[in-house]
């Protein structure tokens, strides 16, 4: 989370690896933040809804071994979750769900409607250690 001015400064300095506007908000991945995690030998987690982020991040850090995890669920499950969140933009979020392609190159795909969060976390942890 950041301010609009800080986001603008990151953008103007060329420090955003990727950015997007959706749901009346701005999203971005900053090079410095990821670099700090990598330099500290921590495993960065990049959560994004667009497959283009994968290309942008892996190109920005080509020497890092990335694990790509696709979290999926049915449209019906997505709709129920969106309605439960009561964000007021159900149609826009379902449109984004419809427009998001399956990530065919994922190292691991998890159906979040049938996999408990703790199980998903364990699967991801095991995959990152492989």
């Amino acid at each position: 989370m950041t301010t609009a001015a800080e986001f603008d400064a990151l953008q103007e300095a060329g420090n955003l690896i990727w950015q997007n506007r959706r749901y009346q908000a701005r999203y971005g991945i900053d090079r410095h933040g990821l670099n700090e995690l990598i330099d500290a030998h921590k495993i960065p987690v990049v959560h994004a809804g667009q497959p283009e982020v994968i290309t942008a991040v892996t190109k920005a850090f080509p020497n890092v071994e990335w694990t790509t995890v696709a979290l999926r669920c049915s449209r019906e499950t997505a709709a129920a979750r969106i309605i439960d969140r009561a964000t007021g933009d159900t149609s826009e979020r379902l449109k984004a769900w419809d427009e998001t392609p399956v990530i065919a190159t994922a190292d691991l795909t998890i159906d979040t409607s049938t996999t408990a969060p703790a199980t998903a976390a364990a699967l991801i942890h095991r995959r990152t250690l492989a």
Side-chain angles (χ1 to χ4, degrees), residues 7-117:
F7 197 99
D8 290 341
L10 286 169
Q11 181 179 11
E12 289 169 19
N15 288 326
L16 291 177
I17 296 168
W18 177 87
Q19 60 181 310
N20 186 36
R21 287 181 184 265
R22 186 173 266 173
Y23 314 125
Q24 300 171 20
R26 291 165 70 183
Y27 300 90
I29 298 172
D30 71 293
R31 181 179 310 278
H32 179 73
L34 272 181
N35 207 36
E36 279 184 345
L37 291 169
I38 292 165
D39 285 348
H41 302 288
K42 295 183 179 179
I43 298 173
V45 174
V46 179
H47 174 254
Q50 294 78 29
E52 300 82 16
V53 175
I54 298 166
T55 303
V57 170
T58 56
K59 281 186 176 181
F61 295 94
N63 296 327
V64 173
E65 185 178 335
W66 294 98
T67 299
T68 302
V69 179
L71 302 176
R72 299 289 302 165
C73 67
S74 69
R75 190 178 196 281
E76 293 75 23
T77 297
R81 290 174 178 173
I82 292 165
I83 291 166
D84 286 347
R85 289 176 61 195
T87 56
D89 56 358
T90 301
S91 295
E92 185 179 355
R93 290 180 185 268
L94 285 174
K95 182 177 183 286
W97 190 97
D98 291 337
E99 293 172 349
T100 302
V102 172
I103 301 171
T105 59
D107 299 303
L108 177 64
T109 300
I110 298 172
D111 182 340
T112 62
S113 64
T114 59
T115 306

Side-chain angles (χ1 to χ4, degrees), residues 112 115-124:
T112 62
T115 306
T119 303
L123 290 168
I124 294 166

